[in-house]
Amino acid sequence: MALDATAPSSTGDGGAEAVRPLLSAAEAEELDAMYAPYARCDAYGTMGRGALPFLRQAELALRAILLVPLRFVLGMLLLVTYYLVCRVCTLFVDGVAEGRPRLQGWRRVAVVWSGRGLARAVLFVFGFYWIRETDRSSPNAEDVHQGQSEEWEKPGAIVSNHVSYVDILYHMSVSFPSFVAKESVSRLPLVGLISKCLGCIFVQRESKASDSKGVSGAVTERVQEVCQDKNSSMMLLFPEGTTTNGDYLLPFKTGAFLARVPVQPVILRYPYTMFSPAWDSIDGARHVFLLLCQIVNYIEVVRLPVYYPSDQEKEDPKLYASNVRKLIATEGNLILSNLGLAEKRVYHEALNGLL
């Protein structure tokens, strides 16, 4: 990825504009290297705004006319269909207003199985026709720590690298997990009720006064509940806290590991030729548009064995998180990075100021 190192500037006499350097080539390369986990390397360039040859532009315009409206309408129909299923299944059910409907029996079965099927249908509509999955989830006896208790045999959470919002659709189509979402999501049309049926934990991420310990406590409580109740959906947690370009793995937050229970590591990759489904340095509307313009998209999934923490890891969540992170990086051939969400914001601000 290369940044435009020049920009127009007034000459000061009200006349023609001159070109002044914003960044030297060396500085641009340094910026790219510094924020490598968020650098976009596909054919559409930085933030999806790169220049395309004329034939590529014509092809993109044709796909925009033929594919985008069709896929958008089909996607909305599937969303509305699932909303109606959730609406019917939550009639006369307690807990809807509180954000977690108490679904049991046929209601629970209908919400889970229709959700999984419709999530896979949405992926198909978006061009993910085939999903290559490698299942390594059966550990060898020596891989399980001898001190594990039988009550913790079921993993309490799915721990996955985070590349795109498509991640959630994939996990929903396979295991129908709960996850952490912004509190504002619960009030959105259609999506709000669906997220409640998923059992999401809603947090106020924008509030500086939000109690992060309270959020961690809620996650820990839910994860422990999953281990004890076979009917509870697993939590889906992205310990990185933000998305990358799919080639890197950021530091893990400890929230997923405070419960001291086993976790299910999953690795997601998105191979591509033209457009990368990774949601890195590109705005949401442009990303959705280019994703819908892509005829075929790909996901590769590796499901690792359940990770059972040792006694030392149970006592030290940072060690537990670090060891799971190293395992995912090794098995997924991902590069470890020390950057985080704050650096991603700085990078976006820098790009917005340059382009």
Side-chain angles (χ1 to χ4, degrees), residues 52-129:
L52 294 175
F54 174 76
L55 290 180
R56 288 290 188 187
Q57 293 181 33
E59 181 183 2
L60 183 63
L62 183 62
R63 291 182 181 185
I65 294 172
L66 298 178
L67 287 179
V68 174
L70 177 62
R71 284 177 165 176
F72 178 79
V73 170
L74 290 176
M76 288 302 300
L77 286 175
L78 291 170
L79 178 64
V80 171
T81 298
Y82 190 48
Y83 169 80
L84 293 175
V85 171
C86 292
R87 176 57 67 190
V88 170
C89 291
T90 53
L91 290 174
F92 312 111
V93 171
D94 295 331
V96 178
E98 293 78 10
R100 194 181 180 191
R102 297 177 178 86
L103 301 174
Q104 296 179 348
W106 67 268
R107 298 173 187 267
R108 173 70 180 168
V109 172
V111 166
V112 171
W113 286 98
S114 62
R116 292 178 62 177
L118 290 172
R120 184 63 187 92
V122 171
L123 287 171
F124 188 89
V125 168
F126 286 0
F128 295 94
Y129 307 122

Side-chain angles (χ1 to χ4, degrees), residues 1-7 20-32 354:
M1 181 191 76
L3 298 177
D4 187 357
T6 61
R20 63 176 173 81
L22 284 175
L23 289 175
S24 67
E27 289 173 329
E29 291 179 3
E30 183 180 354
L31 185 62
D32 286 350
L354 293 174

Side-chain angles (χ1 to χ4, degrees), residues 268-305:
L268 301 179
R269 300 295 297 259
Y270 293 84
Y272 66 91
T273 52
M274 277 289 294
F275 172 74
S276 170
W279 193 16
D280 35 45
S281 62
I282 184 173
D283 66 81
R286 188 182 299 271
H287 188 279
V288 171
F289 171 75
L290 293 175
L291 180 72
L292 296 182
C293 285
Q294 190 81 349
I295 295 177
V296 182
N297 292 296
Y298 301 94
I299 303 180
E300 292 181 354
V301 183
V302 178
R303 190 173 298 272
L304 299 178

Side-chain angles (χ1 to χ4, degrees), residues 222-293:
R222 181 71 65 81
V223 170
Q224 291 175 337
E225 175 186 323
V226 170
C227 291
Q228 297 169 348
D229 183 0
K230 65 179 182 179
N231 294 320
S232 294
S233 298
M234 280 198 294
M235 285 293 299
L236 169 61
L237 298 172
F238 299 110
E240 295 170 284
T242 188
T243 54
T244 68
N245 60 15
D247 295 326
Y248 290 79
L249 197 64
L250 307 182
F252 277 10
K253 302 181 185 301
T254 58
F257 309 93
L258 294 174
R260 302 189 289 185
V261 301
V263 295
Q264 172 70 73
V266 176
I267 305 168
L268 301 179
R269 300 295 297 259
Y270 293 84
Y272 66 91
T273 52
M274 277 289 294
F275 172 74
S276 170
W279 193 16
D280 35 45
S281 62
I282 184 173
D283 66 81
R286 188 182 299 271
H287 188 279
V288 171
F289 171 75
L290 293 175
L291 180 72
L292 296 182
C293 285

